[in-house]
Amino acid sequence: EEEGKKKEASQLRCQQVEIRAREMVLATEFLLSAKTMKREHSTDTFAPKDLAHTLQRLAPDQIFFMGHSIGGTNALVASLRQPKLARGVICFDPVLDWMPGDTRWALFRHDRIAGLKSLRYTSYSRECDVAQEWVSTNKSLHEQHLLFLTTTEWLDSNWEGAQLLKEMNDKGRLGGMDGVSRQVIIHSNHFELADVAMLTPLWLTRPVGLTGPRNPIDTAAEIAGRLADFLNDACKG
């Protein structure tokens, strides 16, 4: 019974991811169209000041989808649905079990996982065996720049394919052949990758295991540096 509830919850999450990914695509398309309209109708009354500043800084050829946890899942799905819209995807511990099947196999393509050892991992609803469940697809997420930020909490537990992604990274099987795509291991817990970890007192989060011995502000500083390195490499030229 418990297993059935988890499976049903996972299916509902997949549907929710599709909706959120679509919203991400629509929001991006709106900003791009608004930028074009503002350029054609250069008036201060076209958009609120904050939006106008955003549109001014928006570079259509340097858009990246980014998210944490289920947000990372949304970003991967949005990228697959509209591959020409974003230059790359940045994921913080994405919940791969909640991805629709085509996105899952666009990441774990047979040519990317063949011969690897870490084909089993723990997900929210089941134990996953990628080799047994693999489905052929002509879609691929590896045509874009990919950055996976993985916490040691998820890596040590092999949660949501963390070790499989690490092996793909170590074998040079993430993204293209230019060396831009990568997985980066962050010594922290999953919760620490969200901004709420910096806003919640450590005396509350540490006893319940949401944060480890490291200060989440230091974790955020490392993440900022890792993101800057990746974006600099991805946007060259």
Side-chain angles (χ1 to χ4, degrees):
E1 184 179 353
E2 183 67 24
E3 195 121 342
K5 288 181 179 179
K6 284 186 177 182
K7 185 175 181 180
E8 181 181 3
S10 184
Q11 291 172 345
L12 291 173
R13 282 292 195 177
C14 281
Q15 296 173 15
Q16 185 181 43
V17 164
E18 287 280 17
I19 294 171
R20 289 184 173 184
R22 181 59 179 159
E23 290 173 343
M24 186 177 288
V25 167
L26 290 174
T28 305
E29 291 176 338
F30 165 76
L31 290 173
L32 290 173
S33 63
K35 181 179 179 70
T36 301
M37 290 176 64
K38 187 176 189 304
R39 187 168 58 245
E40 294 174 352
H41 308 279
S42 54
T43 169
D44 294 336
T45 60
F46 172 76
K49 185 177 180 180
D50 291 343
L51 178 58
H53 180 67
T54 300
L55 296 177
Q56 183 179 2
R57 294 172 57 88
L58 181 64
D61 62 339
Q62 294 185 2
I63 293 173
F64 291 78
F65 290 140
M66 181 171 70
H68 168 248
S69 195
I70 193 172
T73 311
N74 301 337
L76 288 166
V77 176
S79 174
L80 189 69
R81 297 289 177 264
Q82 291 292 337
K84 295 182 179 180
L85 196 57
R87 190 162 188 166
V89 186
I90 301 168
C91 298
F92 299 63
D93 275 351
V95 187
L96 303 183
D97 189 43
W98 291 344
M99 289 196 304
D102 63 337
T103 313
R104 175 183 171 87
W105 304 123
L107 176 61
F108 294 135
R109 290 173 55 89
H110 186 263
D111 58 328
R112 302 283 174 161
I113 66 173
L116 301 185
K117 299 176 181 178
S118 307
L119 299 177
R120 291 187 63 86
Y121 65 84
T122 302
S123 73
Y124 173 77
S125 63
R126 62 181 191 267
E127 284 286 325
C128 292
D129 187 334
V130 179
Q132 182 177 351
E133 298 179 3
W134 181 82
V135 177
S136 177
T137 177
N138 59 359
K139 298 179 180 180
S140 177
L141 281 168
H142 298 275
E143 297 170 1
Q144 292 179 306
H145 299 313
L146 303 173
L147 173 63
F148 289 91
L149 291 171
T150 302
T151 61
T152 46
E153 178 188 23
W154 277 36
L155 185 66
D156 293 343
S157 301
N158 194 20
W159 192 251
E160 299 293 347
Q163 290 183 13
L164 178 56
L165 287 171
K166 183 178 186 305
E167 196 171 357
M168 291 170 69
N169 178 76
D170 294 345
K171 299 285 187 181
R173 298 186 186 181
L174 282 179
M177 302 295 292
D178 51 14
V180 173
S181 296
R182 66 198 69 163
Q183 181 201 43
V184 174
I185 308 302
I186 304 293
H187 292 273
S188 67
N189 292 357
H190 180 75
F191 180 75
E192 290 179 56
L193 298 190
D195 55 0
V196 69
M198 292 183 285
L199 303 174
T200 308
L202 289 174
W203 61 262
L204 178 61
T205 57
R206 276 184 177 154
V208 296
L210 292 179
T211 56
R214 191 181 192 188
N215 192 313
I217 294 177
D218 294 333
T219 301
E222 180 187 355
I223 290 172
R226 301 287 194 175
L227 288 178
D229 291 342
F230 170 74
L231 291 172
N232 284 335
D233 290 343
C235 293
K236 283 180 181 177

